[in-house]
Amino acid sequence: MQEISTLPEVSRRALLQGSAGLVFSLAVTAQGVVLAQEAKAEAKKYGADSMPGGTVDDPLVFVSIAADGTVTIVAHRAEMGTGVRTSLPMVVADELEARWDKVSVIQAPGNEAKYGNQNVDGSRSVRHFFAPMRRVGAAARQMLEAAAAARWGVPVDQVKAVQHEVIHTATGKRLGYGELAADAAKQPVPKGDALRLKTPAQFRYIGKGKLGVVDLANIGQGKAVYGQDKHLPGMVFAVVARPAVLGAKLRSYQKDKALAVPGVKSLVEIPAYKGAPAFQPLGGVAVVARNTWAAMKGREALAIEWDEGAHASYDSVEYRKELEKAANSPGKVLRSNGDLDSAVKKAGDKALVKADYYVPHLAHASMEPPTATVLLAADKSRCEVWTSVQAPEAARGLVAAALGLKAEQVTINVLLLGGAFGRKSKPDFAVEAALIAQTMPGTPVKVVWTRDDDIQHDFYHAVAADHLEATLGTNGLPQTWLHRSAAPTIASLFQEGAKGQSSMEMGMGAINMPYDIPNVRIETGEVQAHTRIGWFRAVYNIPHAFAAQSFIAELAHRAGKDHKQYALELIGPPRKLNPEKDLGDGWNYTESPTLYPYDTGRLRDVIEAATRGARWGRKLPKGHGLGLAFCYSFMSYSAVVVEAAVDDKGHVKVIAVDTALDCGPQINPERIRSQLEGGVIMGMSLAMSSEITFAKGRVQQSNFHDFEVLRYADQPQTIRTHLVGGGIDVPIGGVGEPPLPAVAPALANAIFAATGKRLRALPIRQVS
């Protein structure tokens, strides 16, 4: 077997074992995820450079070629349904001039020192690795060409790689990639000016969207291996009884009764977390058994009593009142332009419009609950983990810390994720499995989270109350704009007592509003967290977009103008705004404000695309309405138009959705469209049915019967996707999260258009 690779073999197992790593401590990793981002921004490091591990563009790391010509490309980012295991290898294959039917994709283990950043969140995978993966493919192509030229004794400019062969253009002689691989591996890696990238006109796969999904056949045939599918000989199974109240401590439990359940082998106490929760396990008692059924029956027999602690009084009804009070009281000012107070006083009460909005906690509820399988070697010298995580390097550091090992002694095998939406970037479940495995070296342990476990012990999306005020001028447009948002912060995961949203969180649709309004103030109300607050797809863009986009529709109605025309007037003529200087957004999703300006022309274009698709302005049947909303998030521009129908009993039916996105270069249009469609369905779920509530510190929902996601019968009858832009003249934006935030406000606006009733709180189950 010959190959362009420093790896001794191309077998999957050899690749997965051949890692040496970046060492993370638990605390450093946990804090780094949230807090380091702003620190990095202050140091003026942007994009991938601001992320742990940065990027790697070495073809010897990502590409190997076998003697039969098979090209193996390493996917170093986890696949959770976005198609990244197809899209990034596709970029490599295009620049490499590889035939797609001769390409094999394998998954990398967690090792950021070798592969670059692997934390799949923030819609960054393609955004940060499109350019490095192009360089990887182009460098490998040139190494093959150099090897062929040397073999024939001709100048390299007389040879050309074309679809898995290198051709001598003067004679027509050809050599296959497999024939050249060994010699190519000895060629220097071209870099800098020596590297020749394709022109866009030469792309075969990039932007075409005709390659499908590399895992599709295995998924369709039930052969794909997700975290729950992992099975090892001699494996035991564990479920964990966790405290229902955050921070509760174990008081007592019925050890003998649990051990008496047939099949139960042992019990393992998992210590409660110390300090801030971070990604630590919640604590409790693990029941280890021959199978999951026995483990679950053993857990029922534990009859645990807890000391419940400070969060036992957490109640969603009372907390909403606290949030709304904070949102209606002066808060911490994060952006201020003009003199808002004087302008409001001058305009008078008749010109003032106020509104309050509310979004509840949400659970990720991915189709596959968390799971991890851990095997600690009998001599405790190494640990191997099989799991579905978005952040394998973080899992590696946390497992190593839990076991007292160095990171290089731990291998994280990344399996397919059956959904994640941010939940699996917090690998507490892998740490649970490691702590249990520590008590039985040499025996593989699988920790299984049930659906109930997942919904009742999640890192929840922040509940939020938003208050907006504006005064309208004689032209109907706002002369003042106050947006105050109150929500628990994700920083509370890592810092005890942290209150109020950070500038990063408020930079998701609040601070960075682009409208040309002379008097602006953006504030955050400070409230305490009583549960684990975590990243959720689109993060704080959800409440901010719901509030701001509903409010703009209300202002348009107050001004007596068509919503679309009002929105375009509010946005103003196309212009490129500097996020830092013009909008006071020092975060800008960690991207350079020069490279990534806020382009209001692109925002206008997606509005035009979505409204054109929906035939905005057409006459509708009675009880039908069209609603518009738009958003800028993760460096992409999105707009959604919903047609909704409301019957006499208040039942809502979504007739059609037109969703438009400008993410800049469209690397894999098929996958972009699938993300748009998925974003509509998920957005409709949170808009119409999903809600997590607390009483006496406990989550009141437990499964899909009471934490509802959109049922098939309630899905939109039609979803039309519209891709805008697509040239590579602008930097690439995110795709995974931008389709989501505008869905809920577009639905609320459609319901108002249909009924005249304004709904300002989610979920909207029915119009009363």
Side-chain angles (χ1 to χ4, degrees), residues 15-16 62 74-77 85 106-111 115 118 392 412-414:
L15 281 171
L16 296 184
F62 289 97
V74 175
H76 71 297
R77 314 283 284 189
R85 266 170 57 91
I106 60 172
Q107 186 69 45
N111 189 337
Y115 301 107
Q118 292 180 277
I412 302 292
N413 301 292
V414 181

Side-chain angles (χ1 to χ4, degrees), residues 319-327 462-465 485-489 492 497-501 524-530 533:
Y319 194 69
R320 178 172 177 175
K321 296 176 183 175
E322 183 180 341
L323 286 173
E324 291 174 342
K325 181 179 179 181
V463 55
S485 181
T489 174
S492 60
K499 295 181 180 179
Q501 295 168 72
T524 180
E526 297 195 339
V527 291
Q528 184 178 354
H530 296 285
I533 306 299

Side-chain angles (χ1 to χ4, degrees), residues 538-570:
V539 209
Y540 287 82
N541 285 293
I542 295 171
H544 297 156
F546 178 63
Q549 291 300 308
S550 296
F551 190 59
I552 290 171
E554 295 202 47
L555 296 181
H557 181 71
R558 175 72 170 263
K561 295 187 177 183
D562 172 80
H563 181 193
K564 174 197 168 185
Q565 292 305 318
Y566 188 84
L568 294 177
E569 289 180 37
L570 184 62

Side-chain angles (χ1 to χ4, degrees), residues 217-236:
N218 283 341
I219 292 172
Q221 296 169 15
K223 297 178 180 177
V225 179
Y226 293 84
Q228 293 282 8
D229 296 322
K230 188 63 187 176
H231 190 88
L232 295 172
M235 187 165 71
V236 296

